Amino acid sequence: MKVKKAVIPAAGFGTRFLPATKVVPKELLPIVDKPTIQYIMEEVASAGIEEVILITGREKGSIEDHFDTSTELENHLRKKGRNDLLKIVQEISEMVTLVSVRQKEPLGLGHAILCAKKIVGQEPFAVLLGDDLIDAKVPCIRQMMEVYQEMEGGLLAIQKVPKPETPLYGIIKGKKVGDRVYSVEEMVEKPEPGKAPSNLAIIGRYILPPQIFDILENVQPDRRGEIQLTDGLRELRREVPIYGYEFLGDRYDAGDKLGYLQANLSFGLRHPELGPKLKKYLKNITL
Ligand code: G1P
């Protein structure tokens, strides 16, 4: 079945980026000149997904505004003859159809996804987490859609991480069954390195069947009171096969200050206008 919908959770408080995120949603913090969430939307659009379900919370209205038309701004740019900028601004609002659902309480990633149940209905759907910025020739979710064509069940993006970092991720135990594809046998959310079943980490791209919703409704909250998606996935594996796909591309944790700076440098160095100047600046910097 074709994947036509994507769920993007964006309800978090962005506490790791305070005070920047006191009024600006973390999803709108820019990597060079584009909000992080726009990179995610571009990835979605490139994969032919038609509808995005944004899970939002309080003070997140400006994310929707960013993807809406802005008549005043467009008129202003037209009057000034800035057709280059006008084109950029118009393309953003034409990218995807956006529907938003409020997550009324911050009860975890599993709960955020559950908020999309009614809108997704009975079809497989993609999930993209905004903190995971993936720079790839073929956008990660598009790579996954190609792999998913030949399978049923769930598909998770995975990447090898250094062992000390396993407490930051969901970690899988898997058996290699194809080129970059693993059959998932076990999943543990944020294990200590000594307890991690491997160093294959789940990265924030998923293709999931609709059965996950009924499962998430019954998942017990963890000790922090949050409903974890990984716990739901473990239950889902009893019903359908789950695969991990080691995607091609570089991933940045844009939800972490260092990862955010690294992403800015990396995208900045490849920016047609800024790249050469930034390179020159970095070469001359004395550390
Ligand atoms: C979430 C998931 C985790 C996954 C990670 C990827 O954790 O719960 O399994 O490895 O995203 O970024 P979070 O980073 O939201 O705590």
Short mmCIF file of all heavy atoms in Angstrom, two decimals, residues 16 26 109-110 129 131-132 157 166-171 188-190 201-206 224 226 228-230 233 251 253, ligand 1:
data_model
loop_
_atom_site.label_atom_id
_atom_site.label_comp_id
_atom_site.label_asym_id
_atom_site.label_seq_id
_atom_site.Cartn_x
_atom_site.Cartn_y
_atom_site.Cartn_z
N ARG A 16 15.83 22.04 25.78
CA ARG A 16 17.28 21.98 25.58
C ARG A 16 17.81 23.26 24.92
O ARG A 16 18.99 23.51 24.91
CB ARG A 16 17.65 20.77 24.71
CG ARG A 16 17.58 19.46 25.48
CD ARG A 16 18.30 18.36 24.73
NE ARG A 16 17.52 17.85 23.62
CZ ARG A 16 17.97 16.94 22.75
NH1 ARG A 16 19.20 16.48 22.86
NH2 ARG A 16 17.22 16.50 21.78
N LYS A 26 11.18 25.39 18.69
CA LYS A 26 12.51 24.90 18.29
C LYS A 26 12.53 24.46 16.83
O LYS A 26 13.55 24.53 16.16
CB LYS A 26 13.01 23.80 19.22
CG LYS A 26 12.34 22.47 19.02
CD LYS A 26 13.09 21.36 19.72
CE LYS A 26 12.29 20.08 19.60
NZ LYS A 26 12.86 18.94 20.24
N LEU A 109 6.43 10.44 23.00
CA LEU A 109 6.38 10.29 21.54
C LEU A 109 5.25 9.36 21.10
O LEU A 109 4.55 9.63 20.12
CB LEU A 109 7.74 9.76 21.07
CG LEU A 109 7.91 9.48 19.59
CD1 LEU A 109 7.66 10.73 18.75
CD2 LEU A 109 9.31 8.93 19.29
N GLY A 110 5.06 8.26 21.83
CA GLY A 110 4.01 7.31 21.47
C GLY A 110 2.64 7.99 21.52
O GLY A 110 1.81 7.82 20.62
N LEU A 129 10.89 12.61 12.83
CA LEU A 129 11.16 13.41 14.01
C LEU A 129 12.06 14.59 13.62
O LEU A 129 13.10 14.41 12.98
CB LEU A 129 11.85 12.57 15.09
CG LEU A 129 11.12 11.29 15.50
CD1 LEU A 129 11.82 10.65 16.70
CD2 LEU A 129 9.66 11.56 15.84
N ASP A 131 14.05 16.54 15.18
CA ASP A 131 15.41 16.70 15.69
C ASP A 131 16.44 16.00 14.82
O ASP A 131 17.61 16.33 14.84
CB ASP A 131 15.53 16.11 17.11
CG ASP A 131 14.91 17.03 18.15
OD1 ASP A 131 14.62 18.19 17.82
OD2 ASP A 131 14.73 16.58 19.29
N ASP A 132 16.00 14.99 14.10
CA ASP A 132 16.92 14.24 13.25
C ASP A 132 16.94 14.84 11.85
O ASP A 132 16.01 14.66 11.06
CB ASP A 132 16.50 12.76 13.18
CG ASP A 132 16.75 12.05 14.49
OD1 ASP A 132 17.80 12.27 15.09
OD2 ASP A 132 15.87 11.28 14.92
N ALA A 157 14.33 3.57 10.44
CA ALA A 157 15.66 3.99 10.00
C ALA A 157 16.62 3.64 11.12
O ALA A 157 16.33 3.86 12.29
CB ALA A 157 15.68 5.49 9.75
N THR A 166 24.55 4.72 23.38
CA THR A 166 23.28 3.97 23.35
C THR A 166 22.20 4.53 24.29
O THR A 166 21.02 4.44 23.96
CB THR A 166 23.48 2.46 23.63
OG1 THR A 166 24.05 2.31 24.94
CG2 THR A 166 24.36 1.80 22.59
N PRO A 167 22.56 5.20 25.42
CA PRO A 167 21.50 5.74 26.27
C PRO A 167 20.71 6.90 25.64
O PRO A 167 19.77 7.41 26.24
CB PRO A 167 22.25 6.23 27.52
CG PRO A 167 23.53 5.48 27.53
CD PRO A 167 23.88 5.28 26.08
N LEU A 168 21.11 7.30 24.43
CA LEU A 168 20.38 8.41 23.77
C LEU A 168 19.33 7.91 22.79
O LEU A 168 18.55 8.70 22.24
CB LEU A 168 21.37 9.29 23.00
CG LEU A 168 22.47 9.97 23.79
CD1 LEU A 168 23.46 10.66 22.85
CD2 LEU A 168 21.86 10.99 24.75
N TYR A 169 19.31 6.60 22.53
CA TYR A 169 18.48 6.08 21.44
C TYR A 169 17.69 4.83 21.80
O TYR A 169 17.99 4.16 22.78
CB TYR A 169 19.39 5.68 20.26
CG TYR A 169 20.25 6.77 19.72
CD1 TYR A 169 21.56 6.94 20.16
CD2 TYR A 169 19.76 7.65 18.76
CE1 TYR A 169 22.37 7.94 19.66
CE2 TYR A 169 20.57 8.66 18.25
CZ TYR A 169 21.86 8.81 18.70
OH TYR A 169 22.65 9.80 18.20
N GLY A 170 16.73 4.52 20.93
CA GLY A 170 16.16 3.18 20.93
C GLY A 170 17.17 2.31 20.20
O GLY A 170 17.70 2.71 19.16
N ILE A 171 17.50 1.14 20.75
CA ILE A 171 18.52 0.28 20.15
C ILE A 171 17.86 -1.04 19.73
O ILE A 171 17.04 -1.59 20.47
CB ILE A 171 19.66 0.00 21.15
CG1 ILE A 171 20.30 1.30 21.63
CG2 ILE A 171 20.70 -0.96 20.57
CD1 ILE A 171 21.12 2.06 20.60
N VAL A 188 15.11 -1.88 22.53
CA VAL A 188 15.19 -1.39 23.91
C VAL A 188 15.33 0.13 23.85
O VAL A 188 16.15 0.64 23.09
CB VAL A 188 16.42 -1.96 24.65
CG1 VAL A 188 16.32 -1.70 26.15
CG2 VAL A 188 16.57 -3.44 24.38
N GLU A 189 14.55 0.83 24.65
CA GLU A 189 14.63 2.29 24.64
C GLU A 189 15.73 2.76 25.59
O GLU A 189 15.72 2.47 26.78
CB GLU A 189 13.27 2.89 25.03
CG GLU A 189 13.18 4.40 24.99
CD GLU A 189 13.33 5.03 23.61
OE1 GLU A 189 13.37 4.31 22.60
OE2 GLU A 189 13.43 6.27 23.54
N LYS A 190 16.69 3.46 25.04
CA LYS A 190 17.78 4.12 25.77
C LYS A 190 18.49 3.24 26.81
O LYS A 190 18.54 3.57 27.99
CB LYS A 190 17.24 5.39 26.42
CG LYS A 190 16.56 6.30 25.40
CD LYS A 190 16.39 7.71 25.84
CE LYS A 190 15.95 8.59 24.70
NZ LYS A 190 14.56 8.81 24.52
N ALA A 201 21.19 2.02 16.26
CA ALA A 201 20.22 2.92 16.89
C ALA A 201 19.08 3.27 15.94
O ALA A 201 19.28 3.40 14.73
CB ALA A 201 20.93 4.21 17.31
N ILE A 202 17.90 3.44 16.53
CA ILE A 202 16.75 3.90 15.75
C ILE A 202 16.89 5.41 15.56
O ILE A 202 17.10 6.14 16.52
CB ILE A 202 15.43 3.60 16.48
CG1 ILE A 202 15.31 2.09 16.80
CG2 ILE A 202 14.23 4.09 15.68
CD1 ILE A 202 14.11 1.73 17.67
N ILE A 203 16.81 5.85 14.32
CA ILE A 203 16.86 7.28 14.01
C ILE A 203 15.43 7.70 13.63
O ILE A 203 14.63 6.87 13.21
CB ILE A 203 17.88 7.53 12.86
CG1 ILE A 203 19.27 7.00 13.25
CG2 ILE A 203 17.96 9.00 12.48
CD1 ILE A 203 19.89 7.62 14.50
N GLY A 204 15.12 8.96 13.79
CA GLY A 204 13.73 9.41 13.71
C GLY A 204 13.02 9.38 12.36
O GLY A 204 12.45 10.38 11.91
N ARG A 205 13.00 8.24 11.71
CA ARG A 205 12.21 8.04 10.49
C ARG A 205 11.60 6.65 10.59
O ARG A 205 12.33 5.67 10.78
CB ARG A 205 13.08 8.08 9.22
CG ARG A 205 13.85 9.36 8.99
CD ARG A 205 12.93 10.51 8.58
NE ARG A 205 13.69 11.70 8.28
CZ ARG A 205 14.13 12.58 9.17
NH1 ARG A 205 13.90 12.39 10.45
NH2 ARG A 205 14.79 13.66 8.80
N TYR A 206 10.31 6.58 10.44
CA TYR A 206 9.61 5.29 10.59
C TYR A 206 8.54 5.18 9.50
O TYR A 206 7.94 6.19 9.11
CB TYR A 206 8.84 5.24 11.92
CG TYR A 206 9.62 5.59 13.18
CD1 TYR A 206 9.96 6.90 13.49
CD2 TYR A 206 9.99 4.60 14.09
CE1 TYR A 206 10.65 7.22 14.67
CE2 TYR A 206 10.67 4.90 15.26
CZ TYR A 206 11.00 6.22 15.54
OH TYR A 206 11.67 6.53 16.70
N ARG A 224 8.75 7.88 33.70
CA ARG A 224 8.59 9.34 33.62
C ARG A 224 7.17 9.73 33.22
O ARG A 224 6.87 10.89 32.94
CB ARG A 224 9.60 9.92 32.62
CG ARG A 224 11.01 9.92 33.18
CD ARG A 224 12.05 10.03 32.10
NE ARG A 224 11.89 11.24 31.30
CZ ARG A 224 12.23 11.35 30.02
NH1 ARG A 224 12.71 10.32 29.38
NH2 ARG A 224 12.07 12.49 29.38
N GLU A 226 5.68 8.76 30.48
CA GLU A 226 5.57 8.94 29.03
C GLU A 226 5.27 7.63 28.31
O GLU A 226 5.77 6.57 28.70
CB GLU A 226 6.88 9.51 28.48
CG GLU A 226 7.13 10.93 28.97
CD GLU A 226 8.31 11.58 28.27
OE1 GLU A 226 9.00 10.92 27.47
OE2 GLU A 226 8.51 12.78 28.53
N GLN A 228 6.05 5.47 25.40
CA GLN A 228 7.17 5.38 24.46
C GLN A 228 6.77 4.65 23.19
O GLN A 228 6.15 3.59 23.25
CB GLN A 228 8.35 4.65 25.12
CG GLN A 228 9.02 5.43 26.23
CD GLN A 228 9.56 6.77 25.77
OE1 GLN A 228 9.81 7.01 24.59
NE2 GLN A 228 9.73 7.68 26.72
N LEU A 229 7.16 5.21 22.05
CA LEU A 229 6.90 4.55 20.77
C LEU A 229 7.60 3.19 20.73
O LEU A 229 7.04 2.20 20.24
CB LEU A 229 7.39 5.45 19.62
CG LEU A 229 7.26 4.85 18.22
CD1 LEU A 229 5.81 4.55 17.88
CD2 LEU A 229 7.86 5.77 17.17
N THR A 230 8.82 3.14 21.26
CA THR A 230 9.59 1.89 21.22
C THR A 230 8.83 0.76 21.93
O THR A 230 8.84 -0.39 21.47
CB THR A 230 10.99 2.09 21.84
OG1 THR A 230 11.61 3.19 21.15
CG2 THR A 230 11.87 0.86 21.70
N LEU A 233 6.30 -0.40 19.55
CA LEU A 233 6.90 -1.17 18.45
C LEU A 233 7.20 -2.60 18.88
O LEU A 233 7.06 -3.54 18.10
CB LEU A 233 8.20 -0.49 17.98
CG LEU A 233 8.03 0.88 17.31
CD1 LEU A 233 9.40 1.50 17.03
CD2 LEU A 233 7.25 0.75 16.01
N ARG A 251 23.55 12.16 9.44
CA ARG A 251 22.47 12.58 10.33
C ARG A 251 23.01 13.55 11.38
O ARG A 251 24.09 13.35 11.92
CB ARG A 251 21.87 11.34 10.96
CG ARG A 251 20.83 11.61 12.00
CD ARG A 251 21.37 11.25 13.34
NE ARG A 251 20.42 11.53 14.39
CZ ARG A 251 20.73 11.49 15.67
NH1 ARG A 251 21.94 11.17 16.04
NH2 ARG A 251 19.84 11.79 16.58
N ASP A 253 21.93 15.64 14.97
CA ASP A 253 20.93 15.79 16.03
C ASP A 253 20.72 17.28 16.24
O ASP A 253 21.39 17.93 17.05
CB ASP A 253 21.43 15.12 17.32
CG ASP A 253 20.39 15.23 18.43
OD1 ASP A 253 19.33 15.85 18.21
OD2 ASP A 253 20.65 14.70 19.53
C1 G1P B 1 13.24 9.18 20.18
C2 G1P B 1 12.92 7.68 20.28
C3 G1P B 1 14.21 6.86 20.20
C4 G1P B 1 14.99 7.22 18.94
C5 G1P B 1 15.24 8.74 18.89
C6 G1P B 1 15.86 9.13 17.55
O1 G1P B 1 13.92 9.56 21.34
O2 G1P B 1 12.22 7.44 21.47
O3 G1P B 1 13.90 5.50 20.18
O4 G1P B 1 16.23 6.54 18.92
O5 G1P B 1 14.00 9.47 19.03
O6 G1P B 1 16.21 10.47 17.52
P1 G1P B 1 14.11 11.12 21.76
O7 G1P B 1 15.36 11.58 21.05
O8 G1P B 1 12.89 11.84 21.30
O9 G1P B 1 14.27 11.11 23.24
#
